[in-house]
């Protein structure tokens, strides 16, 4: 039987502590990120209301000019827009996640946490999960306002809306890793915001979000087909409007898994670089 090393006065050394389990660390770090969101209540309220303003604006602007003959039979523009807006709304919190990481790296929070026996990648995963919970709240409010106050009545009903919401959460979590990777690589809030705009606009507008792809110019149709968000929007729209799913949901999940794998790998690699 191996004995613990003894001190000169006859005592024994305490066993070395190597930190809590990864699951406990992930839970604690996620709670830390959530508390940071809740601490800024005004910002949180504005973030929750932002999707509602987008829905009001886009439904009025595009709804007044879109030819309903180009939409599926019997589908209003509000019902057509709502599933796509679920996905595009999630891009904003994904960008905020990257900017929040840059701020934590600038103010020394990450440096302090790195002095503890914590698995460094868990800092990124905890932030992604905390931001996903916030995004879920935003999307839930968006759906409630659209159905209760704006009269949205997609053919898929409540089941289709909930399914679209869950699918969107998976897609948004995957997209978050793109911006976490950019943040860990750039390490500058200004550069992060500039890069985010360069990534965001093609993802949002070169897609099937606001108009059918077959109404776009040929070169833009190609970009929309290659855009991973188009798969998510088409699947979300099929769930909400009770259209044939085909392989759309699996295509959206597959594209999200690929984005999450590549993005998380790049984010962890960049995050492990020494802080300067």
């Amino acid at each position: 039987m191996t004995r613990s090393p003894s001190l000169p006065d006859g005592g024994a050394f305490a066993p070395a502590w190597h930190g809590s389990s990864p699951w406990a660390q992930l839970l604690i770090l996620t709670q830390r990120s959530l508390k940071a969101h809740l601490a800024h209540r005004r910002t949180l309220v504005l973030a929750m209301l932002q999707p509602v303003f987008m829905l009001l604006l886009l439904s009025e602007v595009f709804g007044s000019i879109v030819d309903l003959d180009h939409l599926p039979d019997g589908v209003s523009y509000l019902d057509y827009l709502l599933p796509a807006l679920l996905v595009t709304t999630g891009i904003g919190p994904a960008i905020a996640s990257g900017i929040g990481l840059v701020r934590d790296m600038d103010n020394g929070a990450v440096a302090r946490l790195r002095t503890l026996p914590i698995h460094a990648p868990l800092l990124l995963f905890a932030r992604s999960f905390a931001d996903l919970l916030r995004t879920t709240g935003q999307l839930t409010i968006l759906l409630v306002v659209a159905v209760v106050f704006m009269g949205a009545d997609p053919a898929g009903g409540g089941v289709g809306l909930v399914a679209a919401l869950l699918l969107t959460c998976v897609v948004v979590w995957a997209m978050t890793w793109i911006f976490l990777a950019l943040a860990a690589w750039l390490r500058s809030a200004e550069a992060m915001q500039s890069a985010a705009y360069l990534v965001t606009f093609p993802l949002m507008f070169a897609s099937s979000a606001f108009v059918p792809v077959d109404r776009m110019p040929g070169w833009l149709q190609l970009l929309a087909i290659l855009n991973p968000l188009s798969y998510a929007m088409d699947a979300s729209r099929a769930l909400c409007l009770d259209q044939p799913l085909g392989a759309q949901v699996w295509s959206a999940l597959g594209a999200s898994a690929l984005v999450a794998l590549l993005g998380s790998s790049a984010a962890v690699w960049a995050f492990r670089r020494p802080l300067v």
Side-chain angles (χ1 to χ4, degrees):
M1 180 176 178
T2 304
R3 299 180 60 184
S4 299
S6 298
L7 292 171
D9 59 0
F13 287 108
W17 184 68
H18 298 288
S20 55
S21 67
W23 291 111
Q25 292 180 21
L26 180 61
L27 178 60
I28 293 171
L29 292 171
T30 302
Q31 291 175 343
R32 170 189 172 273
S33 296
L34 282 175
K35 289 179 180 178
H37 290 321
L38 296 175
H40 300 85
R41 296 180 182 179
R42 295 175 183 175
T43 303
L44 183 63
V45 170
L46 291 175
M48 292 298 173
L49 293 178
Q50 180 181 354
V52 177
F53 290 128
M54 290 293 294
L55 178 64
L56 290 170
L57 178 64
L58 294 177
S59 62
E60 293 299 321
V61 172
F62 290 104
S64 62
I65 61 176
V66 168
D67 187 350
L68 295 181
D69 292 336
H70 296 154
L71 301 182
D73 292 337
V75 176
S76 67
Y77 185 69
L78 177 61
D79 291 345
Y80 182 84
L81 174 66
L82 181 58
L85 197 58
L86 286 174
V87 180
T88 57
T89 295
I91 297 180
I95 296 173
S97 184
I99 295 176
L101 177 61
V102 171
R103 289 174 179 168
D104 278 352
M105 298 174 78
D106 285 341
N107 63 25
V110 170
R112 290 193 296 271
L113 289 171
R114 279 184 167 181
T115 63
L116 303 175
I118 294 176
H119 298 283
L122 293 182
L123 294 171
L124 301 177
F125 280 90
R127 176 171 289 278
S128 71
F129 289 136
D131 289 337
L132 178 60
L133 291 175
R134 182 184 63 171
T135 303
T136 303
Q138 287 181 294
L139 299 181
T140 302
I141 292 174
L142 174 64
L143 290 179
V144 170
V145 171
V147 173
V148 176
F149 297 101
M150 299 185 63
D153 187 23
V159 174
L161 288 174
V162 172
L165 174 63
L166 295 176
L167 175 66
T168 301
C169 289
V170 175
V171 174
V172 169
W173 183 76
M175 295 299 298
T176 299
W177 286 106
I178 294 178
F179 298 101
L180 287 176
L182 286 173
W185 177 50
L186 296 172
R187 301 188 178 184
S188 166
E190 292 78 10
M192 177 65 200
Q193 289 177 337
S194 299
Y197 282 116
L198 292 176
V199 174
T200 298
F201 280 98
L203 286 175
M204 288 181 60
F205 294 101
S207 69
S208 59
F210 306 116
V211 295
V213 173
D214 57 9
R215 307 304 303 176
M216 298 179 179
W219 65 272
L220 196 55
Q221 289 186 28
L222 178 61
L223 292 180
I225 293 173
L226 296 176
N227 188 343
L229 285 190
S230 290
Y231 298 100
M233 293 170 188
D234 291 342
S236 176
R237 189 169 281 133
L239 290 169
C240 285
L241 301 181
D242 195 25
Q243 296 175 339
L245 293 178
Q248 292 176 328
V249 172
W250 294 112
S251 298
L253 292 176
S256 298
L258 180 61
V259 170
L261 177 61
L262 296 178
S264 60
S265 300
V268 170
W269 174 81
F271 187 70
R272 288 184 180 275
R273 292 184 301 156
L275 296 175
V276 294

